[in-house]
């Protein structure tokens, strides 16, 4: 005969169940807070929409969007066409979900799960998103007629994956991301822009340094305006990267930069280069969290931090012919 538990044991059982449930709730709450603050996959982050008004849209974390913007900038900064950027983004979405992970199958690392043992570079190099994207484009540029190939085929000839068909499922979202981040589709990327409190490198100098990092050292062309902070070289519109990728198409025009008011960077875009302007504007939005960017204006439209669900609004504050990036003042009280 099984004896019924005593009242004391029943109380202990209820207390144990309550404590367990409470711990689980705390864990879930903690996870949601982290996702919200960092812009994780499941929390508020960024949204890319179709420029064709067909209702197509995808959501990404701020980290994913920033990495996507780097991949796009590296590609266009080296004269690679939009199709190459789409292939690179679909590949990274499959390999890492656009998160710079430090592990994978065997010794695979980073956005593209490249392997040091297979000659892709050192661990430190592969974990640098700019380098990883550059070396991917280097290999892609050697694939004959890659622009005419199915995305899955082109990506597979670079990656040599055991599951080549998996790249195809990411083509729709990669296509939208590519259109926005190469400037083909105007005002189609928005982010929440929650500031990353772990980053100290903010302000105009940090914006210029990040531009040079992603697009190449000639992205900023010297003008009569005073340019301080990031080291800039003038002349030319093509740049070299660590991968020494060779481009067959014409690189995008180089903008110029000036700093005003201590917290604003204006990127002057050549006349007729609206696509370049929108690429720079979307790049700034994608990097808004880490660089503490509060507003981005271009072509009569403005994005403001905290407005991931709102479209780019009409604005009269756009710099003449340029992209205006307003950063949080360092040391400013909140």
């Amino acid at each position: 005969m099984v004896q019924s538990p005593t009242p004391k044991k029943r109380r202990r059982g209820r207390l144990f169940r309550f404590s367990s449930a409470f711990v689980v709730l705390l864990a879930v709450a903690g996870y949601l807070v982290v996702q919200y603050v960092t812009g994780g996959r499941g929390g508020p982050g960024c949204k890319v929409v179709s420029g064709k008004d067909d209702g197509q849209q995808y959501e990404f974390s701020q980290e994913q969007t920033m990495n996507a913007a780097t991949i796009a900038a590296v590609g266009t900064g080296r004269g690679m066409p939009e199709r190459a950027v789409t292939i690179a983004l679909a590949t990274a979405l499959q390999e890492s979900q656009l998160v710079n992970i430090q592990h994978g199958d065997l010794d695979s690392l980073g956005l593209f799960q490249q392997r040091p043992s297979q000659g892709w570079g050192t661990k430190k190099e592969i974990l640098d998103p700019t380098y990883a994207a550059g070396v991917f484009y280097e290999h892609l540029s050697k694939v004959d007629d890659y622009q005419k190939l199915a995305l899955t085929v082109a990506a597979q000839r670079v990656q040599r994956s055991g599951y080549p068909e998996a790249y195809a499922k990411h083509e729709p979202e990669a296509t939208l991301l590519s259109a926005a981040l190469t400037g083909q589709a105007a005002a189609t990327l928005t982010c929440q822009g929650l500031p990353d409190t772990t980053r100290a490198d903010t302000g105009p100098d940090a914006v210029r340094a990040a531009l040079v990092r992603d697009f190449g050292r000639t992205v900023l062309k010297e003008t009569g305006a005073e340019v301080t902070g990031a080291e800039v070289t003038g002349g030319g519109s093509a740049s070299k990267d660590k991968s020494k990728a060779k481009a067959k198409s014409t690189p995008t025009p180089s903008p110029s930069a000036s700093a005003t008011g201590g917290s604003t960077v204006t990127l002057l875009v050549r006349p007729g280069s609206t696509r370049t302007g929108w690429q720079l504007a979307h790049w700034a939005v994608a990097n808004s969290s880490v660089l503490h960017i509060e507003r981005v204006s271009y072509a009569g439209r403005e994005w403001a931090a905290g407005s991931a669900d709102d479209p780019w609004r009409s604005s009269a504050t756009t710099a003449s012919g340029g992209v205006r990036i307003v950063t949080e003042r360092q040391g400013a009280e909140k």
Side-chain angles (χ1 to χ4, degrees), residues 84-157:
V85 175
T86 301
I87 294 169
L89 289 171
T91 301
L93 279 163
Q94 170 59 29
E95 298 291 351
S96 67
Q97 294 190 53
L98 283 171
V99 174
N100 195 25
I101 55 180
Q102 300 188 30
H103 57 81
D105 183 43
L106 300 176
D107 60 337
S108 300
L109 298 164
L111 294 175
F112 296 91
Q113 288 293 281
Q114 295 155 338
R115 298 179 60 188
S117 65
Q118 299 301 308
W120 286 93
T122 66
K123 177 179 179 180
K124 182 178 180 180
E125 286 175 330
I126 291 172
L127 288 175
D128 175 358
T130 303
Y131 172 88
V135 76
F136 177 89
Y137 287 122
E138 178 186 9
H139 284 73
L140 180 63
S141 67
K142 296 176 182 177
V143 176
D144 292 337
D145 295 324
Y146 70 85
Q147 293 192 65
K148 298 178 181 179
L149 298 175
L151 184 146
T152 296
V153 175
Q156 173 64 2
R157 291 188 181 177

Side-chain angles (χ1 to χ4, degrees), residues 70 76 104 110 175 192 198 265 270 277 284:
T70 292
T76 56
T175 299
Q192 194 70 275
T198 66
V265 174
R270 293 177 184 176

Side-chain angles (χ1 to χ4, degrees), residues 214-262:
D214 285 359
F215 288 91
R217 298 186 68 81
T218 57
V219 66
L220 304 179
K221 184 178 180 182
E222 290 182 291
T223 65
E226 180 181 1
V227 179
T228 59
E231 183 180 350
V232 176
T233 58
S237 59
S239 61
K240 295 180 180 180
D241 73 330
K242 298 176 184 178
S243 68
K244 299 181 181 178
K246 295 181 179 179
K248 296 181 180 180
S249 58
T250 303
T252 53
S254 299
S256 302
S258 62
T260 59

